[in-house]
Amino acid sequence: MKLNIAVLPGDGIGPEVTNEAIKVLKAIEVEFDHTFLFHHAKVGATAIDHYNTPLPDTTLERCKASDAILFGAIGDPKYDNNPSAKIRPEQGLLKLRKSLGLYANIRPVKAYHSLLDKSPLKQERIKDTDISIYRELTGGIYFGEKKISNDGNTASDLCKYSKHEIERIAHLAFKAAQTRKNKVTLVDKANVLESSRLWRKVVTDVSKKYKDVTLDFLFVDNAAMQLILNPRQFDVILTENMFGDIISDEASVIGGSIGLLSSASVGDKYAMFEPIHGSFPQAANKGIANPIASILSAAMLLDHFELFDEADLIRVAVERSLELEITTPDLNNTYNNITTGKVGDFIEDFISNPKDSNLNFSNIHLGQSTII
Ligand code: IPM
Ligand code: MG
């Protein structure tokens, strides 16, 4: 298959982790005889530095002309603590999502067996957790009208949803549940918010078309608690934009590191693949950023084009790296000489030589592996 992939590394650790995902995709390209063409473009703080806008038109055009987008991370501390900054890196990501109509953000959360002891949560609680969060991505309070009074003393953000916006992601969530454990949990705040009550009504209507799927409801405050008390109860979580943002960071604690969580942002026409983590500027250029979220985002990209064997091979390689503790310091403070690049090398090497991997890599901690 030939794919044109727009690469938007962005800020902070974005470029480093994205490089590893590209390394892995190149190994897949060779092994499975595909052609992947990578086209780099700027976004975020780095785009502001060069073009005075976080999303230059050329970047947006590049995305529209590609089959898929691989996104790194966005954000820079010089904007975070300045509430009066008019131009902000995050606007680039939000505009990108909106302009490309990427209304569904899919965030898988899994407790890897080999990492159960890395989570601060009790192993018996998180064991076998396997959740897919469907976060609405182009509506709600993120995109509603924003106002600030003339005297600067009052501000508001509108949370608005239409039936159409709810329906289209609800269908995706129910279809996903049919391939999983047939359960959708709608997370909302219907005891307080009118918009949440619309979600309940519309999602209940949609559910009638999916008789094999159970639908249940949880208020977001309770959902936040249930996620760490008993995460195994969840299969597909469907929720609006901001609740999804918050509970997906919370859910990442189950996996042991936010550096593991990948995502796919899809719409009717375009698709973008991005780690859920931010730009982690303190870690930039130190070789300590975990590239796995980006590498697993690349696997989701392959899934999107139904290259399931290829995507599965990446996931097998990732699991192997976790089992062998070939991981960055967020997951491994014993062998902290394992850099971002070495994790990518291992996964690349596994893909290229799955047969002799075990032989080489069992010695990796002794520095005897061919790749260290
Ligand atoms: C995410 C991020 C973004 C969001 C930020 C960077 C705007 O936190 O993708 O979860 O809030 O959607
Ligand atoms: Mg977030």
Side-chain angles (χ1 to χ4, degrees):
M1 183 180 282
K2 181 175 170 188
L3 290 177
N4 279 295
I5 302 173
V7 180
L8 275 53
D11 305 323
I13 60 170
E16 291 162 71
V17 296
T18 309
N19 273 344
E20 302 312 310
I22 293 175
K23 197 188 263 179
V24 169
L25 283 172
K26 285 188 172 159
I28 292 285
E29 185 184 15
V30 172
E31 289 311 307
F32 291 82
D33 208 12
H34 298 302
T35 306
F36 298 152
L37 302 169
F38 299 96
H39 310 278
H40 283 68
K42 287 198 189 308
V43 72
T46 158
I48 300 177
D49 293 345
H50 284 83
Y51 306 104
N52 205 32
T53 164
L55 182 65
D57 290 343
T58 46
T59 298
L60 187 58
E61 288 318 310
R62 171 50 75 201
C63 293
K64 287 186 173 165
S66 303
D67 299 300
I69 303 146
L70 191 61
F71 186 94
I74 214 163
D76 188 295
K78 68 183 173 206
Y79 301 94
D80 290 347
N81 299 322
N82 175 9
S84 50
K86 287 266 176 299
I87 306 178
R88 319 182 70 85
E90 289 79 2
Q91 291 160 345
L93 178 57
L94 299 179
K95 187 171 167 203
L96 197 56
R97 290 172 177 170
K98 191 75 174 176
S99 316
L100 300 176
L102 307 174
Y103 59 81
N105 181 226
I106 302 145
R107 300 186 159 186
V109 177
K110 209 177 142 175
Y112 291 97
H113 213 75
S114 53
L115 295 182
L116 287 178
D117 60 332
K118 305 291 179 202
S119 172
L121 303 173
K122 289 203 175 86
Q123 302 196 22
E124 63 269 23
R125 279 191 205 276
I126 59 173
K127 199 161 98 22
D128 299 325
T129 298
D130 182 357
I131 306 173
S132 189
I133 299 177
Y134 274 65
R135 168 189 176 193
E136 202 289 329
L137 204 59
T138 53
I141 200 163
Y142 273 60
F143 292 96
E145 190 186 2
K146 297 181 188 310
K147 279 192 195 160
I148 177 118
S149 63
N150 288 340
D151 63 6
N153 290 337
T154 311
S156 64
D157 298 271
L158 180 68
C159 180
K160 189 171 164 185
Y161 269 109
S162 69
K163 182 178 170 201
H164 169 68
E165 286 173 308
I166 300 167
E167 264 172 1
R168 58 188 181 177
I169 186 169
H171 281 291
L172 295 185
F174 280 99
K175 286 192 179 118
Q178 285 181 320
T179 69
R180 299 171 48 93
K181 286 178 268 166
N182 299 75
K183 181 173 169 189
V184 170
T185 303
L186 175 63
V187 169
D188 62 23
K189 189 73 187 171
N191 49 347
V192 177
L193 301 178
E194 202 58 56
S195 54
S196 285
R197 289 192 276 270
L198 182 65
W199 271 83
R200 280 207 183 195
K201 183 178 173 303
V202 174
V203 172
T204 304
D205 286 347
V206 170
S207 74
K208 294 183 180 133
K209 295 207 173 68
Y210 301 88
K211 299 245 184 285
D212 51 338
V213 179
T214 313
L215 169 65
D216 66 4
F217 307 99
L218 269 188
F219 296 141
V220 61
D221 44 355
N222 188 10
M225 185 171 72
Q226 295 298 329
L227 253 182
I228 48 175
L229 279 180
N230 177 16
R232 269 192 302 271
Q233 70 184 286
F234 296 108
D235 179 22
V236 173
I237 292 180
L238 169 63
T239 191
E240 61 97 72
N241 203 343
M242 185 142 90
F243 297 157
D245 180 45
I246 297 168
I247 63 164
S248 56
D249 269 31
E250 185 195 3
S252 76
V253 177
I254 296 167
S257 170
I258 195 167
L260 295 170
L261 260 69
S262 57
S263 87
S265 302
V266 303
D268 294 330
K269 197 156 174 213
Y270 302 105
M272 180 161 97
F273 301 86
E274 47 173 323
I276 85 152
H277 62 67
S279 59
F280 194 11
Q282 304 84 335
N285 304 315
K286 292 189 181 147
I288 58 171
N290 191 340
I292 288 182
S294 184
I295 291 170
L296 290 175
S297 299
M300 292 186 88
L301 184 156
L302 298 173
D303 278 333
H304 183 75
F305 294 99
E306 298 185 358
L307 302 176
F308 300 123
D309 291 344
E310 291 83 336
D312 284 345
L313 183 54
I314 294 181
R315 285 188 278 260
V316 170
V318 164
E319 295 213 17
R320 196 82 187 106
S321 76
L322 299 176
E323 279 159 23
L324 293 172
E325 294 192 282
I326 302 163
T327 47
T328 43
D330 51 317
L331 288 170
N332 178 351
N333 44 27
T334 323
Y335 305 102
N336 56 8
N337 58 337
I338 296 175
T339 60
T340 310
K342 281 182 182 164
V343 174
D345 287 348
F346 174 86
I347 292 167
E348 174 195 37
D349 211 38
F350 186 99
I351 289 166
S352 311
N353 314 287
K355 292 209 183 72
D356 59 39
S357 306
N358 287 341
L359 214 84
N360 290 340
F361 301 139
S362 57
N363 287 330
I364 199 153
H365 301 322
L366 304 173
Q368 292 168 5
S369 159
T370 49
I371 61 149
I372 274 211

